[in-house]
Amino acid sequence: MDIVVKGRKTEVPERFRKHVAEKLKLDKIQKLDAKVISLDVEVSKEHNPRQADRSDRVEITLHSRGPVIRAEASAGDPYAALDLATGKLEARLRKQHDKRHTRRGNGRLSAAEVADVVPGVAELNANGHIPAEQTPESIPTTRIGPLEVQGEGPLVVREKIHTAAPMTLDQALYEMELVGHDFYLFVDSETKQPSVVYRRHAYDYGVIHLETDPLAGSEAGGAGGALGG
């Protein structure tokens, strides 16, 4: 695995390059992500004296056969910024590692265990049908926010409202990688449409734009569906 250290509008001392190689322990990183190909470390400097405590910025980008992982931090000197960025990178690597481990089946329930673990789950009779006493007509309905929920759930409803300035697709991709999510909701600065950029396979990305259909009724079904198409 290669580590490339570069400066943006600033010189990078050889001493700092050696410190990067010592700080980013390759064996530890490869243990969390065996598919890592390279690490890019970019150093930049803010010359505004009012931001002296955040004058040095370090951005680490990890390229692998999986998703790109990026971490950045600012501090009063490049060494402190590198420490902060390295901590963020390792935290995101652990998150990715744990997610892959969980997807391989750890902690999954068998079909026979679902009824014992999940409250209010419907049970099937010998013919594979829901017994009459569990049909929707006999299950109580509760309203949670704008939704109607039958039975006891389980269902967690959380609604968030964010204000956001319009941005380009490239900026939305950068913001998505920055926060480490698989998707990012934004307003396209060119079309002014609500849009979602999402990770598909390897280095591929997809984007969905929403626009109002003037012929659609007020009870339209929306733009639901799988993102990975």
Side-chain angles (χ1 to χ4, degrees), residues 56-127:
D56 291 277
R57 178 175 173 271
V58 173
E59 179 180 304
I60 306 174
T61 305
L62 184 148
H63 299 278
S64 73
R65 290 191 291 275
V68 175
I69 298 177
R70 182 179 288 111
E72 66 175 66
S74 298
D77 64 80
Y79 294 92
L82 177 64
D83 289 345
L84 294 172
T86 301
K88 292 181 180 179
L89 179 71
E90 291 179 354
R92 289 175 183 170
L93 280 172
R94 290 192 197 96
K95 182 179 179 180
Q96 286 287 90
H97 179 268
D98 293 343
K99 184 186 295 185
R100 288 194 299 268
H101 182 67
T102 301
R103 285 177 176 173
R104 283 196 288 265
N106 182 40
R108 291 184 177 178
L109 300 177
S110 66
E113 296 173 315
V114 173
D116 297 328
V117 177
V118 181
V121 68
E123 298 180 0
L124 303 180
N125 57 24
N127 297 324

Side-chain angles (χ1 to χ4, degrees), residues 183-210:
F183 68 93
Y184 191 82
L185 177 64
F186 69 104
V187 177
D188 194 298
S189 58
E190 295 183 3
T191 65
K192 309 303 180 185
Q193 295 173 331
S195 306
V196 175
V197 64
Y198 61 94
R199 183 178 292 111
R200 296 183 73 250
H201 310 288
Y203 297 107
D204 293 339
Y205 299 94
V207 61
I208 297 174
H209 300 289
L210 294 182

Side-chain angles (χ1 to χ4, degrees), residues 3-211:
I3 299 179
V4 179
V5 182
K6 57 185 177 181
R8 186 171 64 184
K9 298 181 181 180
T10 186
E11 293 292 330
V12 180
E14 186 62 29
R15 177 188 171 196
F16 183 78
R17 295 179 184 271
K18 293 181 180 179
H19 182 72
V20 169
E22 296 172 356
K23 184 68 179 179
L24 296 174
K25 302 184 184 300
L26 300 185
D27 55 342
K28 186 175 182 180
I29 292 175
Q30 290 175 326
K31 185 177 180 181
L32 294 171
D33 188 348
K35 298 180 180 180
V36 62
I37 299 172
S38 64
L39 275 170
D40 292 341
V41 179
E42 184 178 88
V43 184
S44 58
K45 192 171 185 67
E46 171 60 55
H47 297 285
N48 187 343
R50 295 182 179 180
Q51 299 185 17
D53 58 336
R54 297 169 54 86
S55 59
D56 291 277
R57 178 175 173 271
V58 173
E59 179 180 304
I60 306 174
T61 305
L62 184 148
H63 299 278
S64 73
R65 290 191 291 275
V68 175
I69 298 177
R70 182 179 288 111
E72 66 175 66
S74 298
D77 64 80
Y79 294 92
L82 177 64
D83 289 345
L84 294 172
T86 301
K88 292 181 180 179
L89 179 71
E90 291 179 354
R92 289 175 183 170
L93 280 172
R94 290 192 197 96
K95 182 179 179 180
Q96 286 287 90
H97 179 268
D98 293 343
K99 184 186 295 185
R100 288 194 299 268
H101 182 67
T102 301
R103 285 177 176 173
R104 283 196 288 265
N106 182 40
R108 291 184 177 178
L109 300 177
S110 66
E113 296 173 315
V114 173
D116 297 328
V117 177
V118 181
V121 68
E123 298 180 0
L124 303 180
N125 57 24
N127 297 324
H129 299 102
I130 300 176
E133 61 272 13
Q134 294 188 51
T135 56
E137 290 78 6
S138 62
I139 299 176
T141 300
T142 305
R143 189 168 187 85
I144 302 178
L147 302 178
E148 289 187 353
V149 182
Q150 291 184 335
E152 297 180 358
L155 177 66
V156 177
V157 177
R158 182 172 62 176
E159 183 178 11
K160 286 187 175 182
I161 299 176
H162 294 279
T163 56
M167 64 178 66
T168 63
L169 176 59
D170 288 343
Q171 180 64 22
L173 284 169
Y174 176 78
E175 295 290 341
M176 182 182 72
E177 296 296 352
L178 191 63
V179 298
H181 290 172
D182 293 329
F183 68 93
Y184 191 82
L185 177 64
F186 69 104
V187 177
D188 194 298
S189 58
E190 295 183 3
T191 65
K192 309 303 180 185
Q193 295 173 331
S195 306
V196 175
V197 64
Y198 61 94
R199 183 178 292 111
R200 296 183 73 250
H201 310 288
Y203 297 107
D204 293 339
Y205 299 94
V207 61
I208 297 174
H209 300 289
L210 294 182
E211 61 180 8

